Amino acid sequence: MPLNRTETRQTIGSYWEASVPQARLDRQLIGNAVFDVAVIGAGFAGLSAALRLAQAGVSVCVLEAEHVGYGASGRNGGFCCLGGTKLDEHSLIRKFGLEEARRFVAYQVAGVNLVAQRLDSWGVHADRHSKGEIYLAHRPKDFAGFQAEAAFLKENFGIKARVLSKADLDAEGYGGPTFHGGMHLPYGFALNPMAYVQTLADQVRRAGGRIFAKTPVTGISRDSDRWHLETPHGLVRTKKVLLAGNGYAREDAPRWLHGRTLPVMSSILVTRPLSDDELSAQGWTSDTMAADTRNLLHYFRLLPDRRFLFGTRGGIFENAQSLAAMYDRARVDFDDMFPAWAGVEAEHSWYGHVCLARNLTPFVGEVPGLGGIYAAMGWHGSGIAMASISGDKVAGLMLGKLQPDDLPVPLRRPFAKFPLPSLRKLYLQGAYWWYGWQDR
Ligand SMILES: Cc1cc2nc3c(=O)[nH]c(=O)nc-3n(C[C@H](O)[C@H](O)[C@H](O)COP(=O)(O)OP(=O)(O)OC[C@H]3O[C@@H](n4cnc5c(N)ncnc54)[C@H](O)[C@@H]3O)c2cc1C
């Protein structure tokens, strides 16, 4: 029996929080302090930057409104994969030329490799699984385009994608009535993101970086050669600042951010562990990370403990009614795509903010007109690898070890303001209807 809607709306909390030991709670900033660099936000980006800075001997603090991993870094699907922009490879070539598009894709691959190397060198397994990821065609016409797309990726980027027919999918454990074929990309792996972000924070502390929890930065002002960061119980004076708040950033800290990013929601449900019979009833036994070909995509994977993780994009307004509708829609989609599990309880469900930009690409660099303030944000819902490597690179810029030209052009464009920023969410609502119609 499918669950009734009230049951599906229950938010029992993040599976990742339940699956890792209680995190260390860093202390709040109380009083005034001076650091060479202050980083705003303790997610993959901010912590990656703080790690490189601390390892270089710079005095660095991370100011976090809540706690390490509170933002998307502790809430995501754990797909460490290529991505970070809403522009596909065709658009990247059109906009930036083949060479820059190649550099950008190589940067994404380097991001995936960086996360793997970190976990290896820190001796952390973080429940890794999945060799690469697979895209599943939700319509026959999407499958019909896969051969040409695979040839395009190989010719232009050297990516060896493999196309799988419906029969291949069934034989390899990707069973589902709505999948018409697949395309596998050999990059990426899945991980427990909370385990990764907590270990990253440990590395920052070990290298001498300070992390302050419950310390939201509420305002930024300048006095002679220092920036002043206001927090509820203290003030930080610093030469350089990194904005790494992503989808959780306050638009007034600094005011430059106002109207330049668009936080939207993504939600995840995780079932109870599935039995052998349940897995074979659905025909899904693969542990490969998967996503469908919709604009408003679904992403899903079988976890090592045989729970099934199912995520959806969408959800614009963060009120009780919209959140309930978002969870209901996710459950309906899950039941349609995996009908053999329609009665299986979701033991965990939660959501988080991803960060979109008008340019549809991230920004990694110094903010124009605000000397000493840098930003590393805007991963468009795919930030495990991208935020990790970009945090490291922006620290290289702050240290003077890298120049802006060392980064691919798509990352170097400061966020443009959205026209009529107060109407951003309404435009997005319109875009979602359009995408939903196109996805049919
Ligand atoms: C449900 C969901 C699923 C996702 N799935 C995937 C996936 O499978 N693979 C993938 O690659 N990406 C995924 N993403 C995206 C990915 O999680 C993010 O891109 C990435 O974690 C962003 O990292 P970050 O460090 O830039 O920001 P965050 O992790 O969001 O951290 C920002 C932090 O800044 C803090 N902050 C903001 N403003 C202030 C302030 N003024 N003062 C102090 N602190 C502040 C916040 O509290 C927050 O902790 C998903 C995101 C969501 C929400």
Side-chain angles (χ1 to χ4, degrees):
M1 277 285 287
L3 297 174
N4 69 45
R5 291 287 155 241
T6 315
E7 280 170 294
T8 64
R9 282 177 189 178
Q10 284 176 351
T11 303
I12 305 146
S14 152
Y15 172 65
W16 309 126
E17 276 173 16
S19 67
V20 297
Q22 182 74 40
R24 165 177 163 173
L25 191 59
D26 298 283
R27 77 173 183 81
Q28 191 177 32
L29 175 72
I30 297 186
N32 297 343
V34 178
F35 288 91
D36 292 336
V37 179
V39 173
I40 303 178
F44 300 134
L47 293 169
S48 295
L51 180 59
R52 178 158 180 183
L53 291 163
Q55 285 173 338
V58 171
S59 83
V60 56
C61 69
V62 181
L63 304 172
E64 166 55 51
E66 294 296 336
H67 56 78
V68 165
Y70 169 82
S73 298
R75 298 171 186 247
N76 59 72
F79 290 46
C80 181
C81 54
L82 307 189
T85 169
K86 281 282 173 230
L87 298 176
D88 63 17
E89 284 77 7
H90 300 266
S91 313
L92 286 171
I93 294 176
R94 270 198 305 277
K95 236 177 167 43
F96 303 105
L98 182 57
E99 282 318 305
E100 281 302 329
R102 281 185 177 152
R103 272 180 92 198
F104 187 42
V105 170
Y107 182 93
Q108 295 170 35
V109 174
V112 170
N113 293 339
L114 173 70
V115 177
Q117 281 155 15
R118 282 179 171 175
L119 294 172
D120 287 343
S121 68
W122 299 338
V124 181
H125 187 260
D127 296 331
R128 273 178 279 176
H129 67 90
S130 182
K131 289 198 171 76
E133 61 176 326
I134 188 163
Y135 288 95
L136 298 170
H138 77 284
R139 295 175 297 202
K141 74 171 184 185
D142 293 345
F143 176 61
F146 276 172
Q147 287 293 0
E149 183 65 12
F152 163 81
L153 291 174
K154 180 147 189 299
E155 185 187 329
N156 292 292
F157 298 96
I159 294 175
K160 291 183 188 147
R162 177 181 163 231
V163 176
L164 290 84
S165 66
K166 173 74 178 155
D168 294 331
L169 292 186
D170 290 341
E172 295 183 28
Y174 302 103
T178 61
F179 307 137
H180 297 271
M183 184 169 70
H184 179 267
L185 298 189
Y187 299 102
F189 59 91
L191 81 174
N192 178 327
M194 190 62 103
Y196 169 42
V197 75
Q198 288 189 2
T199 314
L200 183 54
D202 283 342
Q203 294 295 323
V204 171
R205 297 180 193 110
R206 196 165 298 170
R210 294 292 305 276
I211 303 174
F212 294 102
K214 295 280 174 200
T215 304
V217 175
T218 52
I220 302 181
S221 56
R222 184 151 183 113
D223 174 19
S224 65
D225 64 337
R226 301 257 178 188
W227 290 103
H228 289 196
L229 274 53
E230 291 155 38
T231 77
H233 302 286
L235 182 95
V236 172
R237 294 177 66 230
T238 182
K239 288 185 191 140
K240 290 185 177 170
V241 178
L242 174 62
L243 310 176
N246 208 45
Y248 290 81
R250 289 174 60 120
E251 298 222 327
D252 55 353
R255 288 162 64 116
W256 174 79
L257 273 176
H258 179 72
R260 290 180 198 267
T261 62
L262 175 50
V264 301
M265 282 173 284
S266 185
S267 71
I268 293 180
L269 66 82
V270 170
T271 69
R272 62 161 167 74
L274 296 158
S275 66
D276 286 346
D277 286 349
E278 286 170 325
L279 293 178
S280 44
Q282 179 59 47
W284 190 285
T285 50
S286 171
D287 80 339
T288 302
M289 308 179 284
D292 65 15
T293 43
R294 289 179 168 86
N295 288 302
L296 300 177
L297 90 172
H298 302 92
Y299 48 98
F300 33 93
R301 64 183 170 108
L302 188 59
L303 298 172
D305 66 0
R306 292 164 154 241
R307 294 169 189 273
F308 201 75
L309 179 152
F310 182 82
T312 51
R313 292 273 182 264
I316 299 170
F317 299 102
E318 211 167 348
N319 55 49
Q321 198 185 358
S322 304
L323 292 175
M326 179 171 72
Y327 286 126
D328 285 355
R329 204 172 47 245
R331 183 70 211 202
V332 167
D333 290 356
F334 174 79
D335 292 352
D336 282 350
M337 292 166 71
F338 300 96
W341 301 336
V344 169
E345 308 81 40
E347 290 190 343
H348 297 270
S349 58
W350 69 94
Y351 73 96
H353 298 184
V354 305
C355 180
L356 310 185
R358 188 176 164 202
N359 310 354
L360 303 178
T361 47
F363 173 50
V364 182
E366 192 166 13
V367 175
L370 297 181
I373 297 196
Y374 292 71
M377 294 183 13
W379 321 118
H380 294 85
S382 195
I384 299 179
M386 185 53 97
S388 296
I389 188 168
S390 298
D392 181 81
K393 297 292 183 194
V394 80
L397 294 174
M398 296 171 100
L399 289 164
K401 300 277 183 205
L402 291 178
Q403 296 307 312
D405 287 357
D406 293 322
L407 299 185
V409 169
L411 296 171
R412 304 205 307 248
R413 303 181 311 155
F415 295 138
K417 237 188 202 326
F418 282 89
L420 301 173
S422 55
L423 299 180
R424 270 169 293 174
K425 295 209 165 188
L426 292 178
Y427 306 149
L428 191 66
Q429 181 77 70
Y432 277 0
W433 282 330
W434 169 245
Y435 285 142
W437 186 76
Q438 279 196 322
D439 281 340
R440 279 196 226 153

